[in-house]
Amino acid sequence: MSTQDFSSLNLPQAAIDNLNSLGYKAMTAIQEQSIPLAFKGHDLIAKAKTGSGKTAAFSLPILNKLNIRFFGVQALILCPTRELSAQVAKEIRRLARYQQNIKVVTLCGGQPIGPQIGSLEHGAHIVVGTPGRIKDHLRKGTLVLEGVSTVVLDEADRMLDMGFYDDIETIIQQTPSKRQTLLFSATYPEKIQQLSSDFQSNPVEITVESVHSHSQIEQIFFQVSRSQKNDATYQLLLAYQPNSVVIFCNTKQACQELTDYLIDGGLSALSLHGDLEQRDRDEVLIRFSNQSVSILVATDVAARGLDIDDLQAVINYDLSRDNDIYTHRIGRTGRAGKKGLALSLYTESEKYKLEAIEDGQKQPIQYGDMKKSDNSGENLLPHPPMTTLCIFGGRKQKVRPGDILGALTGEAGIPGKSVGKIDVTDFSAYVAIERAQAKTALTRILNGKIKGRKFKARLL
């Protein structure tokens, strides 16, 4: 862990104070290695995983050189998914709080293009988005990149996996040749080297050892037949009782079938895959991260950028085809010094994948016995502690978290400690409420007012 704090950087005092207030104390390894180089204007190719602090590593240099008086796009950040784009934009806004009027615009598919065009007409300093939608704006002429001085390719390996190479090329060709290009990737396949040689000039390479120490994560492998997988997953959930778990499947179909199987068995589960509409994806992620649902069944692409701090366990329903992806999946548990648990199912024909995992970790694999995990449903998983209340009003109706909290807790309302995370999106707000208080909370919203207005609401 780094011991260097942010005051060692050449940042204004207001920026340091803001970082302190956000809980940024010592720099992570990726920040310590990349920020000073980025400040000097170098192109970077950095190997870093989700959770390593890479958003701040590229955002602070961008914010440091912004010309706030110029309302043209000065930095462009490309991300593989809408979720990651939203997460990056949110973090940049937090990091930028020490300066007035910095405008960050998110441009992603799956959302109407009209409001995005409106936002761009008012000017933007930083654009964060997915390659497809950014290309749409360039084609329409609603986005101009000739003032861009920094381009960031975040999770570049995933963008290449999703087939975005040509889109990235088209976009970067519309930025000035004299620009800084920062490339971040969790893995380092050949295609990344190709991307770098096409779009970067003399990049400095940085590799940070995985932030997750595998000694924190107990990994157990169970051999099953393909037809046993759903039942085996169910048994492992009952045997280990995790209060938050992500289960990885390689296909959307497996994802949906397993979710249905678990729900039929009385468990609280949601699935996250590429076929979901944007609103549904947002809702799934919000309900999982606010502890209203304890099991999330996901594909790798859909779970990319999923940042849940306190994940008790990861289950590999399907083993990934790639050891780096396996490492990335299990690295979502056992964070911040906590113990983690990674349970993996494999079939007879997948034994070769286990050898690759052993080689990658340079330590023998621990095998489990499904028979010992079978407790024949004696104890069901406890219900998640929270329920989500969805209110049909959001940012566009000027609804803020504080207004909702006031409406729920004011004048002999429900106790403040019964209200959990509040997420406000453009047109809806989602509030985590302790189960016992859920119906009371719903009644209060339906019978009361938020900011003097009545809103519809329902429990999810």
Side-chain angles (χ1 to χ4, degrees):
M1 187 68 197
S2 160
T3 50
Q4 211 172 346
D5 66 19
F6 288 91
S7 58
S8 63
L9 297 171
N10 191 12
L11 284 169
Q13 190 56 45
I16 304 282
D17 293 344
N18 182 48
L19 285 164
N20 282 332
S21 75
L22 294 172
Y24 280 87
K25 298 289 185 274
M27 284 193 261
T28 65
I30 190 69
Q31 291 162 357
E32 192 174 323
Q33 289 189 46
S34 61
I35 294 175
L37 289 166
F39 270 26
K40 288 181 182 152
H42 291 286
D43 280 10
L44 299 181
I45 175 162
K47 186 172 172 181
K49 303 204 180 312
T50 300
S52 58
K54 61 187 166 65
T55 305
F58 59 73
S59 303
L60 290 173
I62 286 172
L63 293 169
N64 204 43
K65 68 175 180 184
L66 272 190
N67 172 2
I68 300 176
R69 286 184 293 281
F70 169 54
F71 261 91
V73 181
Q74 295 164 58
L76 172 68
I77 299 156
L78 294 178
C79 301
T81 64
R82 296 175 283 215
E83 286 79 26
L84 185 64
S85 303
Q87 203 176 300
V88 166
K90 183 176 173 186
E91 194 55 22
I92 294 175
R93 289 188 188 105
R94 282 167 29 113
L95 291 167
R97 283 199 305 220
Y98 70 96
Q99 288 170 302
Q100 291 297 304
N101 303 325
I102 288 188
K103 188 152 172 216
V104 184
V105 171
T106 315
L107 304 177
C108 298
Q111 285 148 343
I113 200 164
Q116 296 178 353
I117 292 170
S119 288
L120 289 169
E121 280 170 353
H122 292 111
H125 295 108
I126 299 170
V127 165
V128 186
T130 49
R133 180 52 63 92
I134 286 181
K135 215 174 85 170
D136 292 344
H137 281 284
L138 290 172
R139 202 171 51 240
K140 286 179 182 295
T142 46
L143 175 64
V144 178
L145 299 179
E146 59 199 27
V148 165
S149 59
T150 309
V151 171
V152 178
L153 304 174
D154 193 11
E155 300 201 351
D157 49 348
R158 183 57 56 184
M159 288 198 281
L160 296 183
D161 286 348
M162 293 163 79
F164 282 139
Y165 197 101
D166 293 348
D167 288 356
I168 292 170
E169 187 172 33
T170 304
I171 292 162
I172 291 185
Q173 280 166 351
Q174 298 207 31
T175 65
S177 54
K178 274 193 174 353
R179 61 164 194 275
Q180 184 179 33
T181 308
L182 309 176
L183 189 155
F184 289 81
S185 182
T187 58
Y188 201 65
E190 248 171 70
K191 286 192 288 188
I192 289 290
Q193 292 159 37
Q194 175 69 40
L195 190 70
S196 172
S197 65
D198 284 355
F199 304 122
Q200 293 187 296
S201 80
N202 304 324
V204 181
E205 281 186 32
I206 296 170
T207 298
V208 174
E209 282 311 302
S210 167
V211 284
H212 318 298
S213 147
H214 288 311
S215 61
Q216 294 291 111
I217 303 172
E218 186 181 6
Q219 301 173 56
I220 311 172
F221 291 79
F222 298 88
Q223 185 173 340
V224 293
S225 69
R226 183 149 281 289
S227 62
Q228 287 175 309
K229 277 186 162 188
N230 285 355
D231 187 53
T233 306
Y234 188 83
Q235 293 304 337
L236 289 175
L237 289 166
L238 297 191
Y240 288 92
Q241 302 266 318
N243 61 22
S244 62
V245 55
V246 174
I247 303 174
F248 284 102
C249 300
N250 288 346
T251 66
K252 290 181 255 199
Q253 188 184 350
C255 217
Q256 199 53 60
E257 284 173 6
L258 176 64
T259 307
D260 294 342
Y261 184 88
L262 297 176
I263 291 169
D264 288 347
L267 301 185
S268 143
L270 288 171
S271 65
L272 185 69
H273 52 70
D275 281 354
L276 294 180
E277 290 292 319
Q278 180 60 26
R279 186 187 163 136
D280 297 331
R281 289 166 75 97
D282 288 344
E283 208 168 90
V284 165
L285 286 170
I286 286 168
R287 288 173 68 191
F288 183 66
S289 65
N290 74 14
Q291 299 181 309
S292 300
V293 171
S294 40
I295 303 162
L296 183 67
V297 186
T299 56
D300 286 300
V301 169
R304 194 71 178 203
L306 173 73
D307 205 17
I308 307 296
D309 290 335
D310 200 7
L311 202 54
Q312 270 202 337
V314 166
I315 296 178
N316 289 300
Y317 176 89
D318 293 314
L319 277 180
S320 60
R321 298 166 185 83
D322 176 323
N323 185 41
D324 270 345
I325 292 177
Y326 170 80
T327 306
H328 197 78
R329 284 178 176 183
I330 70 167
R332 296 167 186 280
T333 179
R335 286 192 177 178
K338 295 193 175 77
K339 283 276 178 230
L341 178 65
L343 307 172
S344 299
L345 302 179
Y346 70 96
T347 58
E348 178 74 37
S349 63
E350 290 181 304
K351 283 188 171 165
Y352 72 96
K353 293 182 180 174
L354 303 191
E355 288 163 22
I357 290 168
E358 267 188 336
D359 290 348
Q361 297 194 354
K362 300 181 177 51
Q363 63 185 43
I365 268 173
Q366 182 186 348
Y367 293 94
D369 184 350
M370 274 316 303
K371 293 186 189 70
K372 288 185 185 157
S373 301
D374 186 356
N375 63 3
S376 305
E378 291 154 26
N379 49 343
L380 270 176
L381 273 176
H383 271 301
M386 311 302 264
T387 297
T388 298
L389 172 66
C390 176
I391 298 166
F392 298 98
R395 275 194 292 266
K396 300 286 186 198
Q397 289 78 32
K398 303 278 190 283
V399 171
R400 294 195 186 90
D403 306 326
I404 296 169
L405 189 62
L408 288 167
T409 58
E411 291 183 31
I414 62 178
K417 66 177 175 43
S418 298
V419 183
K421 214 163 157 233
I422 300 177
D423 291 274
V424 181
T425 65
D426 280 352
F427 297 103
S428 313
Y430 299 89
V431 192
I433 305 279
E434 281 179 358
R435 264 172 199 280
Q437 298 282 357
K439 289 206 166 61
T440 314
L442 176 63
T443 308
R444 270 191 85 87
I445 294 297
L446 292 175
N447 294 340
K449 289 182 177 177
I450 301 172
K451 278 197 146 166
R453 291 176 57 190
K454 277 199 160 321
F455 285 99
K456 290 181 178 163
R458 67 187 175 100
L459 292 170
L460 297 178

